[in-house]
Amino acid sequence: MRLARGVFAALGLVMFGALAAPPDGQQAPNPNFVANPHPFGLAGKPHVLPMRAPGYFAAPRSAPAGAHLTYYGGRVVSNMQVVQVLWGTGSYLAQVQNTTTPSMASFYQQALNSTYVDWLSEYNTSGLAAPTSNQVIGRGSFLGQYIITPSVTSATVDDTQIQAELSSQIAAGHLPAPTTDAAGNANTYYAVYFPAGKTITQGGSSSCVSGGFCAYHGTVASATAELLYGVHPDMQPGSGCSTGCGSALTTFANQTSVASHEMVETITDAEVGLATVVGLPLAWYDTTNGEIGDICNAQQGSFLGNDGFTYTVQLEFSNLQNNCVVSSTTATDFSISASPASVSIVAGGSTTSTISTKVTAGTAGTVNLTVSGAPAGVTASLSPTSVGAGNSAILTLSSTAAAAAGTYSIVVNGIEGSASHSTTVSLTITGASQDFSLSASPASASVASGGSTSSTISTAVTTGSAGTVALGVSGVPSGATASLSPTSVTAGGSSTLSVNTGTAAAGSYTLTVTGVEGSKTHSTSFALTITSLPDFSIAASPASATVAAGGSASSSISTAVTAGSAATVSLSVSGLPGGATAGLSPPSVTAGGSSTLTVNAGTAAPGSYTLTVTGVEGTKTHSTAFVLTIASPPDFSIAASPSSLALAAGGSGSSTISTAVTAGSAATVALAISGLPSGATGSLSPASVTAGSSSTLTVNAGTAAPGSYTVSVTGTEGAASHSTSVTVTIGGIVNGGFETGTLSGWTPSGAANTVVSAGCNTGSYCAQIGATTPSNGNSSLAQTFVVPSGKTSLSLFYKVSCPAVASRYDGVTITLADLTRGRTSTLLSRTCTNTGAFAAVTGRVTAGHNYTLTVTTVDSHKAQLDLVYTLLDDVALLP
C-alpha cells in the first residue's frame, strides 16, 4: 500500500497556564479553542489544542457564540469500524488493556450503537449541494483489540514513525486492512494506545506536557482506502495527562472522554489530515472554532450503554440545537408519499413510482422501507431499501403474463426509530389479448433455375396465451412450388417453408407467408431470386508477353459470372510451339476466380505464337488468347572512354565502360578486369550492368613499375562475351624524397651511391652520389618516369661537396632526356662548389611524355684529396 503523510487534528486540554489576552484590535479567541499554530498544508502538523491546567475545568463551559459547522465537500465516516491498537507491551490503564465491561473495547462498541452517535445523522452529506460525498452517517462497531510489536522501541515516538508502523503492520497482516462503505469511503478507525513511559511528538509538540496535547486524530492518503487513525498517550497517574485531560472523577472516565472527542471528530471530518486550504477535503468545520469536538472542549456528559454501564463522553456541537450535546433532544419524525399514487399495467408489463420522504420533526434520520400487498404474479422492489429522511426511493412493480386482472393496493412502509408511516400505490392490471408475431429466417434466397431452398417460419406470443396459428403461402411464381411443414403451429413454434424453382422464369419474387390466430392475422415476406443457368467469361492479363529463348512469362486467367450462379470452370491451354511448355495453376476455378498461366520458352525458335486458354463450365465453353513472343538471344557491345590513362606512381584514374544492346533484349552483363601490372589495383562499379548501362573502371597505380600497360575489361552476357581495353601509363617520380631509406625507384651506377640520414634538405633521408673517401670514377643516379596529367615541371634540390683543388675537373651535372621526343636537356652543367647549402634545379616537362633524369658526380681523381660527392633530395613533379 502506498501511503502519504497528511495534516492532523488533535485534542489537547490545558494542563498548565492560562490563555494570553489577544493583541489590541483583535477579537478575543474562543476560550475552548486555540487556533492551529501550524497552517494547513504542512504534512504532519496537527490541529493542536493546548493542554489545560486542572483549575480550568472548574469554570462552567458552553458553546461559543456564533459557532456553526460548515460543510466543505469532504468525506465523513458512514459506519465506523474501530480497531484498538496497543503499542507493544508495558503498563496500560487496566480498562485500556482489558476487553471486558467496562473497558475501552466496550466503550467503542456501546458508543457506536447509542444515541450518542445516532444524532450525528444531522451531518449526513447525502442530498447536499455539490461538492458532496453523498454519505449517510449510521451506527458502527468495535472490530477488536490488537497488540503489535512495533519496530520503534525508543521512549519517544514521532507521528511519522506511527504512520509508517501502522502501514507496515497492515501490510504484514498483523492489523486488519481498512474497510470501506459501498462507495469506497473509509470506515476503519485505528485507535492507537501507548503504554506508560512513551512520549509522543508531532510537529514540535509533545504529549502530556504544558503546551502539549492529550490526543489527536489523523489521515493518511492512499491509492485505495484512506487510513484514519487516532493517537492516545498513557493517562495513568504521573503521566501528565492524568490531570490535564479532563475533570471526571476517574482516569478511565477522562480516557473515554478524550476517546469520544477523537472518534466523533473523525466521523464528521475524516479527511482533515489531508487539507491544505479551508475547503475540500474538509467536511464539517468551523473556521473560527475548529471541528465538532473543539467547539465543546472541556464539556463532559455521559450515556448509558446497553451493557448497563454509564460512560463519560465529551459533548459535541449540534448545528440544529446550536449547543453542545450528548444526544438529540428533539424528537425526529417524517412523512412518506408516492408519485404517482395510482399506476396501471397490462399483464406481463412493469411500472415504477417514486417514494418520497420528508423531515417533519427533529433531524434527518435513516428511514427503512418495506413493501407489501403485491398479488400473485407481481413482484415489488425498492431501490434503495433505506434512505435519509428527505430523500427518495424507486418502487418497481413487474407482472407476469399470468397475473390476474384487477386493482390492488401496494403498501410502502417507512420506519425511522420509533416513527412509522406508510403510503399506498394503487396498481391496476388489465388482461392481455391473445396475439402473436411472425418472421422468416432467412428472409431471402437466390436459387438457380430448377434449384430449391428453405426458410424457417417462426412465431412468438406477444400478448395473452399461446393459440394455434394457421399458416399459408402466396406469391409463388408460375412453374415453381412452395409448401409449409407443418401448416399450423402453436404460437411460439415454427414451420419450414420449402421452395422449388422448377421451370419458373429467372427473376425476383416476393412470397408471403400468412398466419391466422383467431381474429389476429400477421404476415412475413420471403424474397426469392431465381437465376439463369450459369455462364461465365474468361480473360488473360497480360494478354501478351515477350521472353528470351529459355525464358518464362506468366498471365492471370480471370473468370467472371455472367449468368446464373458460380460453378466450376475447367481450364486448358493449346497452341504451344515445339520446345516450349505451359501450365495452369489451379487447372480449375469457381467462376469468378482466377488461375495463373505460366509459359517457359524452352528451346522454341524465336517468333510470335498465339496460345489459347479454354474454359469449360457445364455446357458453356469460352476461350481467351495469350500472344507469346520469343526473342532472339541477346547480344551487346562494350567500349571504354577514355581508352588511355596516364597515372602518377601511386595515383589513380578512371574510365567509363559503356555497353549497348546489339541483339535481343537487354540482359545482365558481368564485367571483369585483366592485364593489371603487378602492384596496381583495379575495380569496376558496378561489377555487372544491364546491357545499355555503364560501369566505372578505376585503376590505382599502387607500387607498379612505371610503364605502359594494356588493361582489358571483359563483359559476359549469357553466351556472348566481348572486351575493350584501356592503355594505362604509370609515371611520376618514385621515392623522390628517399624517405624509404633506400634507393628504390632509382638506378645507381658508377663508384658509389648510397642513402644518408644527415645533412638532408628535408625529411630524414637523402641520396649521396659519390663517396666521402677516395674513390675512382664518376657516380650516377637515374630514374625513368612518365609525366602524369597536370604536371608541367621537374624540381629537385642538390648540395655538392667539391674542394677548390678539384674545381677544374670535378663537380655535379644534371640532365633530363625526353625519350618521347628524343631530346636531352642539361638542367645543370658541371658545377663544383662547397657552400654547404642545397640549391634548387627545375626543368619543364610535358604530361604523358617519358623522361630519364640523370644526376652524375664527376670525380676525375686527378688530385689526391679531391673527395667529391653530391647530396640529392626532394625530387618532384609540379603543376
Side-chain angles (χ1 to χ4, degrees):
M1 182 184 299
R2 186 172 65 87
L3 300 174
R5 296 202 316 160
V7 181
F8 308 88
L11 165 67
L13 302 177
V14 171
M15 177 177 281
F16 305 106
L19 290 173
D24 291 341
Q26 294 187 14
Q27 180 182 356
N30 168 16
N32 298 326
F33 175 75
V34 176
N36 180 10
H38 307 293
F40 287 116
L42 299 179
K45 302 297 185 180
H47 188 87
V48 172
L49 296 176
M51 294 183 62
R52 304 291 184 177
Y56 178 82
F57 302 104
R61 301 291 170 189
S62 62
H68 185 80
L69 292 169
T70 299
Y71 181 59
Y72 289 98
R75 290 183 173 92
V76 294
V77 178
S78 301
N79 304 97
M80 176 172 278
Q81 312 292 310
V82 176
V83 173
Q84 185 188 12
V85 181
L86 300 187
W87 190 270
T89 58
S91 173
Y92 290 92
L93 185 68
Q95 293 90 339
V96 170
Q97 194 165 24
N98 296 333
T99 56
T100 57
T101 302
S103 63
M104 290 309 301
S106 66
F107 162 74
Y108 282 120
Q109 179 63 29
Q110 297 303 316
L112 289 169
N113 289 276
S114 70
T115 57
Y116 183 63
V117 168
D118 288 344
W119 71 272
L120 294 178
S121 61
E122 73 174 76
Y123 295 113
N124 291 346
T125 62
S126 60
L128 299 182
T132 176
S133 63
N134 283 311
Q135 291 173 262
V136 174
I137 298 174
R139 293 188 173 190
S141 63
F142 177 73
L143 293 186
Q145 182 189 89
Y146 296 81
I147 303 174
I148 64 172
T149 303
S151 59
V152 179
T153 59
S154 57
T156 299
V157 183
D158 188 67
D159 182 70
T160 56
Q161 295 172 307
I162 297 172
Q163 291 182 51
E165 193 66 50
L166 286 176
S167 299
S168 175
Q169 295 286 340
I170 292 170
H174 301 318
L175 292 175
T179 61
T180 64
D181 61 17
N185 304 301
N187 269 338
T188 305
Y189 170 65
Y190 298 88
V192 185
Y193 287 82
F194 288 82
K198 296 290 185 181
T199 297
I200 315 303
T201 59
Q202 209 298 316
S205 183
S206 298
S207 61
C208 302
V209 296
S210 177
F213 54 82
C214 296
Y216 63 83
H217 73 97
T219 318
V220 177
S222 170
T224 53
E226 293 168 342
L227 195 156
L228 313 177
Y229 71 102
V231 174
H232 296 272
D234 178 58
M235 293 179 62
Q236 296 181 83
S239 67
C241 283
S242 62
T243 58
C245 296
S247 59
L249 297 178
T250 67
T251 300
F252 176 60
N254 285 330
Q255 187 87 64
T256 58
S257 176
V258 170
S260 67
H261 177 108
E262 303 305 332
M263 179 184 73
V264 174
E265 285 192 341
T266 300
I267 291 173
T268 57
D269 196 18
E271 297 179 294
V272 66
L274 305 179
T276 59
V277 296
V278 176
L280 272 173
L282 289 177
W284 296 97
Y285 195 80
D286 182 330
T287 57
T288 301
N289 301 293
E291 295 181 299
I292 189 170
D294 299 329
I295 300 173
C296 302
N297 189 34
Q299 301 182 54
Q300 293 181 331
S302 64
F303 73 91
L304 178 62
N306 292 329
D307 58 2
F309 189 83
T310 299
Y311 294 93
T312 299
V313 292
Q314 184 192 294
L315 276 59
E316 312 293 343
F317 186 74
S318 167
N319 277 351
L320 291 179
Q321 300 176 69
N322 195 30
N323 202 359
C324 297
V325 300
V326 171
S327 61
S328 175
T329 58
T330 303
T332 60
D333 205 354
F334 70 102
S335 63
I336 187 170
S337 61
S339 178
S342 179
V343 295
S344 178
I345 57 174
V346 175
S350 64
T351 188
T352 62
S353 178
T354 300
I355 308 302
S356 301
T357 63
K358 183 178 179 180
V359 177
T360 59
T363 60
T366 299
V367 179
N368 296 308
L369 301 172
T370 58
V371 59
S372 62
V378 175
T379 57
S381 61
L382 287 158
S383 179
T385 56
S386 64
V387 297
N391 295 304
S392 60
I394 299 298
L395 169 66
T396 300
L397 300 170
S398 301
S399 75
T400 65
T407 299
Y408 306 91
S409 294
I410 309 299
V411 178
V412 178
N413 189 59
I415 299 176
E416 180 190 22
S418 60
S420 177
H421 301 282
S422 62
T423 186
T424 300
V425 176
S426 177
L427 171 65
T428 299
I429 302 176
T430 59
S433 60
Q434 207 170 52
D435 204 353
F436 71 102
S437 64
L438 193 65
S439 62
S441 178
S444 65
S446 180
V447 187
S449 178
S452 62
T453 187
S454 64
S455 176
T456 298
I457 307 302
S458 300
T459 64
V461 176
T462 56
T463 59
S465 58
T468 299
V469 180
L471 301 171
V473 59
S474 60
V476 180
S478 176
T481 59
S483 63
L484 286 156
S485 179
T487 55
S488 65
V489 297
T490 300
S494 63
S495 176
T496 299
L497 169 66
S498 298
V499 180
N500 188 295
T501 60
T503 59
S508 294
Y509 304 91
T510 299
L511 279 63
T512 301
V513 178
T514 302
V516 179
E517 180 189 27
S519 62
K520 302 295 184 180
T521 299
H522 298 285
S523 298
T524 188
S525 296
F526 176 76
L528 174 66
T529 300
I530 302 176
T531 61
S532 302
L533 290 175
D535 202 355
F536 70 102
S537 63
I538 188 169
S541 177
S544 64
T546 299
V547 297
S552 62
S554 64
S555 177
S556 177
I557 308 302
S558 300
T559 64
V561 176
T562 58
S565 58
T568 299
V569 179
S570 297
L571 301 170
S572 61
V573 58
S574 60
L576 279 168
T581 58
L584 286 157
S585 179
S588 63
V589 297
T590 300
S594 62
S595 177
T596 299
L597 168 66
T598 302
V599 181
N600 190 294
T603 59
S608 291
Y609 304 91
T610 300
L611 280 62
T612 301
V613 178
T614 302
V616 178
E617 180 188 32
T619 60
K620 303 294 183 181
T621 298
H622 299 284
S623 298
T624 187
F626 176 76
V627 177
L628 174 66
T629 300
I630 302 176
S632 300
D635 202 355
F636 69 103
S637 62
I638 188 169
S641 178
S643 59
S644 63
L645 296 173
L647 308 179
S652 62
S654 62
S655 175
T656 298
I657 308 301
S658 301
T659 64
V661 176
T662 59
S665 58
T668 299
V669 178
L671 301 172
I673 307 171
S674 62
L676 284 168
S678 176
T681 58
S683 64
L684 286 159
S685 179
S688 63
V689 297
T690 301
S693 300
S694 61
S695 176
T696 299
L697 167 67
T698 302
V699 178
N700 190 297
T703 60
S708 291
Y709 305 92
T710 298
V711 176
S712 296
V713 177
T714 301
T716 303
E717 179 188 32
S721 179
H722 301 284
S723 298
T724 187
S725 61
V726 177
T727 300
V728 178
T729 302
I730 300 175
I733 301 299
V734 178
N735 196 23
F738 304 96
E739 293 305 311
T740 63
T742 67
L743 293 176
S744 63
W746 294 88
T747 302
S749 63
N753 292 283
T754 188
V755 173
V756 297
S757 59
C760 298
N761 184 45
T762 61
S764 300
Y765 299 98
C766 55
Q768 179 180 294
I769 306 169
T772 58
T773 59
S775 61
N776 287 317
N778 299 338
S779 300
S780 295
L781 202 59
Q783 184 174 141
T784 298
F785 59 91
V786 176
V787 178
S789 299
K791 305 299 182 181
T792 62
S793 65
L794 170 72
S795 172
L796 60 83
F797 290 84
Y798 76 94
K799 180 171 68 173
V800 61
S801 176
C802 184
V805 67
S807 62
R808 292 181 58 194
Y809 314 105
D810 302 334
V812 60
T813 63
I814 302 175
T815 62
L816 180 64
D818 186 339
L819 303 180
T820 303
R821 290 183 177 179
R823 298 177 183 176
T824 301
S825 301
T826 300
L827 301 184
L828 180 67
S829 300
R830 185 179 62 81
T831 301
C832 180
T833 61
N834 205 17
T835 63
F838 274 88
V841 171
T842 60
R844 300 292 295 177
V845 293
T846 301
H849 285 209
N850 202 5
Y851 291 87
T852 297
L853 171 67
T854 304
V855 180
T856 303
T857 298
V858 179
D859 186 355
S860 63
H861 201 54
K862 292 184 178 182
Q864 294 298 319
L865 299 177
D866 58 345
L867 303 178
V868 180
Y869 62 90
T870 302
L871 297 183
L872 177 64
D873 205 355
D874 298 326
V875 181
L877 292 172
L878 304 176

